[in-house]
Amino acid sequence: MDTDFCEDQITTSLQTCSLRKLPFELLYEIFLLTLPTVPSFKAYESPLLLTHVCSWWRECAILQSALWDTIYLPSPVEGLGGGIVDLCRLWLERSRQRPLSIDFHLASDYQPWKITEDHVLVIQRVVEVLAPHAHRIRKLLRVFPRFLLDDLRLEDMTKLDDLFICDTADVTNGRTRITPQTLIVPDSLRCLSLRQTFFDIKAFSSLRSIAHLDLWQLQGEGQMSIGTSIDLLRELPWLESCTLDVAQGEYSREIMLPEIPMPSLSFLFISWDWLVDVGPILDLLFAPNLRRLGLRGPPPTRRQWTHLRRFLKRCRPTLMQLSIKEIGFTDIQLLDCLRLTPSLTNLSLSHCSIDSAFVKALRLDHRVPVMHNILPLLEFLSLEACDDFEVKDLVSMLNTRGKGLQNHGRKLRGIRLSFCRKILASHRVDIEKSGVENVIIRVNRSSRQSVSA
């Protein structure tokens, strides 16, 4: 990986450079603002770029350890250059004793990567370089579990706050199985994420300090059934946020009592496989301080709304955001649920069948008290791949929440319409005329072709 510039690329007169007159403390703040959103080893991006401008900047940049405390490896798609291990050594040296954030970038948010054995071998060399600095690691993200069993051990990471372990189904590089109580975590650990691992939280010695838990697409013995999910929530009633991906599995009716109080839970996202009924989880949870709720999965029956309605009626949470994906038909029962969430400001529906009756029910009626309407405080609405409603009914509803508001309720500030079959790019004008401030419309290619035709 090239990290040098030719001397004639950047010429700066140290005697006339006004930036040289800036106090070190001010230059330090400016340098921090130059760091890219995604940390980089590239020579034309900060912090490495700052060391190639002039000797004064180079001295200042090297002395600022906060510029070098994040190691973010390129993804398997980008590839690891030949000098990546030396660059990691450089970052570790210049960060001195600052807490470290390390991201191995071995998992994607969208689809699994094919990770070559050569890539893993380079990662192994980076792990060996990191091992003497384990006591400084504060964040360790997207790391394979195999690396935590030898050189880089969790018990040495006394400052660890955030841990994200991922795995792959590849028989050569992945499918690491860990027996219970093998991974000894420090008391400082507050955030734990497992993605596509072949083990669950039983592999950890203790989770008494965990506040944020993310269990996603666990494989094999690590899969979370209804029963194991309920047992988990009983063990961790102090959680502040939780993501669960629930798989098929038997459970005993005996676990349905008693109720599970989770007074600190503010974020909950539940996803599930085909023919899995997550209703028992909602029936048991009591989370009065929940602010964000997400549900995604094919409906085993139409009773999913019954479980959700009971949950909302029992807990009465002050929900601000609700996301529902792939859950099938929306009907009057969902409207009953929305009537129980008057504080909602963000509603997202994805891959759901929405008819015009549902859209019309969201109109604000100025003839009744504002809080008697459904979602009177709604500010953002997102509909993705939602069909069966008429565009004119959507525009009519938006008018009541936009230019026709008449100081009645809260104005809808934004709407996102993505790949809804009847929404075309040509409808943007009518939707914008409704008075909604921000309109985002995404149509599929076939819709574009039909318009041009």
Side-chain angles (χ1 to χ4, degrees):
M1 182 178 293
D2 182 21
T3 61
D4 286 325
F5 292 92
C6 298
E7 291 184 1
D8 58 352
Q9 279 185 285
I10 302 176
T11 57
T12 304
S13 173
L14 299 184
Q15 290 76 22
T16 60
C17 180
S18 59
L19 284 176
R20 184 173 174 83
K21 301 176 184 179
L22 290 175
F24 176 82
E25 293 79 10
L26 181 56
L27 195 60
Y28 170 73
E29 295 297 330
I30 294 174
F31 280 3
L32 287 178
L33 294 174
T34 68
L35 291 174
T37 304
V38 178
S40 173
F41 284 128
K42 295 175 181 176
Y44 53 83
E45 289 189 294
S46 182
L48 210 54
L49 173 64
L50 301 174
T51 65
H52 292 275
V53 176
C54 65
S55 59
W56 168 239
W57 277 33
R58 178 179 178 83
E59 179 183 354
C60 291
I62 291 176
L63 289 174
Q64 294 176 26
S65 58
L67 296 175
W68 311 92
D69 62 5
T70 300
I71 293 178
Y72 184 93
L73 298 183
S75 73
V77 176
E78 299 170 275
L80 298 175
I84 197 72
V85 178
D86 290 333
L87 285 171
C88 289
R89 287 194 182 98
L90 182 67
W91 256 246
L92 291 170
E93 175 188 344
R94 292 180 176 177
S95 60
R96 296 175 177 83
Q97 292 303 313
R98 281 187 62 84
L100 297 170
S101 295
I102 312 294
D103 191 339
F104 285 99
H105 211 165
L106 291 171
S108 167
D109 290 333
Y110 304 103
Q111 60 185 10
W113 283 320
K114 181 175 178 56
I115 301 176
T116 65
E117 190 170 354
D118 289 341
H119 190 96
V120 175
L121 289 175
V122 176
I123 295 290
Q124 179 62 53
R125 293 175 58 200
V126 173
V127 166
E128 294 168 359
V129 170
L130 283 172
H133 303 269
H135 64 284
R136 296 169 50 199
I137 297 178
R138 179 174 55 88
K139 286 187 178 183
L140 185 61
L141 307 179
R142 294 189 281 189
V143 60
F144 280 172
R146 58 185 287 184
F147 298 129
L148 304 177
L149 299 176
D150 191 8
D151 297 303
L152 201 60
R153 302 188 69 86
L154 292 177
E155 56 261 43
D156 298 328
M157 303 179 199
T158 55
K159 295 181 180 177
L160 188 63
D161 174 76
D162 192 348
L163 176 61
F164 182 170
I165 302 177
C166 60
D167 206 346
T168 173
D170 180 68
V171 293
T172 302
N173 299 315
R175 297 192 180 184
T176 302
R177 288 172 172 81
I178 299 180
T179 56
Q181 305 292 308
T182 298
L183 299 176
I184 302 174
V185 296
D187 291 338
S188 58
L189 187 65
R190 284 180 48 82
C191 305
L192 175 62
S193 298
L194 302 180
R195 180 173 299 179
Q196 293 182 325
T197 59
F198 288 76
F199 58 90
D200 61 14
I201 63 167
K202 292 191 291 292
F204 297 88
S205 58
S206 172
L207 297 177
R208 59 178 176 269
S209 60
I210 294 293
H212 309 281
L213 184 64
D214 181 0
L215 305 178
W216 192 254
Q217 297 178 340
L218 304 192
Q219 305 293 317
E221 297 176 0
Q223 288 186 328
M224 303 289 295
S225 66
I226 289 289
T228 53
S229 297
I230 291 175
D231 289 340
L232 168 69
L233 295 175
R234 286 198 191 281
E235 294 175 13
L236 305 174
W238 56 81
L239 285 178
E240 297 174 21
S241 69
C242 184
T243 299
L244 290 175
D245 191 16
V246 184
Q248 293 187 34
E250 300 295 331
Y251 70 93
S252 170
R253 290 290 175 181
E254 296 176 357
I255 67 174
M256 295 304 296
L257 289 174
E259 185 178 73
I260 305 175
M262 303 189 73
S264 300
L265 192 67
S266 63
F267 171 84
L268 176 64
F269 186 90
I270 305 176
S271 176
W272 59 92
D273 288 338
W274 184 254
L275 297 181
V276 175
D277 184 4
V278 298
I281 297 178
L282 294 176
D283 289 342
L284 278 173
L285 275 187
F286 182 72
N289 295 308
L290 195 66
R291 296 294 178 268
R292 294 184 293 162
L293 174 63
L295 301 171
R296 185 177 80 174
T301 67
R302 297 179 73 92
R303 292 186 58 210
Q304 69 269 10
W305 306 124
T306 302
H307 294 293
L308 178 59
R309 185 175 67 252
R310 284 202 301 246
F311 170 77
L312 294 172
K313 191 171 184 178
R314 181 165 43 87
C315 300
R316 293 289 178 177
T318 310
L319 270 187
M320 305 295 290
Q321 299 180 21
L322 176 62
S323 174
I324 297 175
K325 299 182 179 182
E326 303 173 12
I327 209 165
F329 289 93
T330 57
D331 56 23
I332 192 172
Q333 293 188 71
L334 175 57
L335 290 174
D336 289 340
C337 295
L338 296 180
R339 288 188 177 92
L340 296 171
T341 60
S343 57
L344 203 70
T345 60
N346 293 54
L347 175 63
S348 175
L349 301 175
S350 176
H351 292 81
C352 300
S353 180
I354 297 176
D355 60 17
S356 284
F358 180 88
V359 172
K360 291 177 181 178
L362 296 182
R363 289 188 293 193
L364 283 183
D365 188 349
H366 65 273
R367 296 169 299 178
V368 301
V370 61
M371 298 308 290
H372 288 190
N373 287 276
I374 298 177
L375 305 183
L377 305 182
L378 188 66
E379 295 183 6
F380 298 97
L381 175 62
S382 175
L383 302 178
E384 180 180 1
C386 295
D387 300 323
D388 296 336
F389 63 88
E390 298 297 330
V391 178
K392 61 181 180 63
D393 294 320
L394 176 68
V395 172
S396 175
M397 181 273 289
L398 294 178
N399 275 318
T400 67
R401 293 180 175 270
K403 65 181 181 182
L405 194 60
Q406 301 179 355
N407 298 320
H408 189 80
R410 188 172 297 179
K411 188 174 183 179
L412 190 67
R413 296 169 53 193
I415 183 169
R416 177 192 294 269
L417 301 167
S418 303
F419 311 118
C420 297
R421 183 168 52 87
K422 294 186 179 181
I423 298 294
L424 307 177
S426 58
H427 292 127
R428 175 182 293 276
V429 174
D430 290 336
I431 294 173
E432 288 180 340
K433 285 181 179 179
S434 68
V436 178
E437 297 174 10
N438 299 294
V439 176
I440 298 175
I441 296 179
R442 299 173 63 195
V443 299
N444 56 37
R445 183 170 299 178
S446 61
S447 297
R448 294 195 192 102
Q449 291 173 346
S450 64
V451 172
S452 60

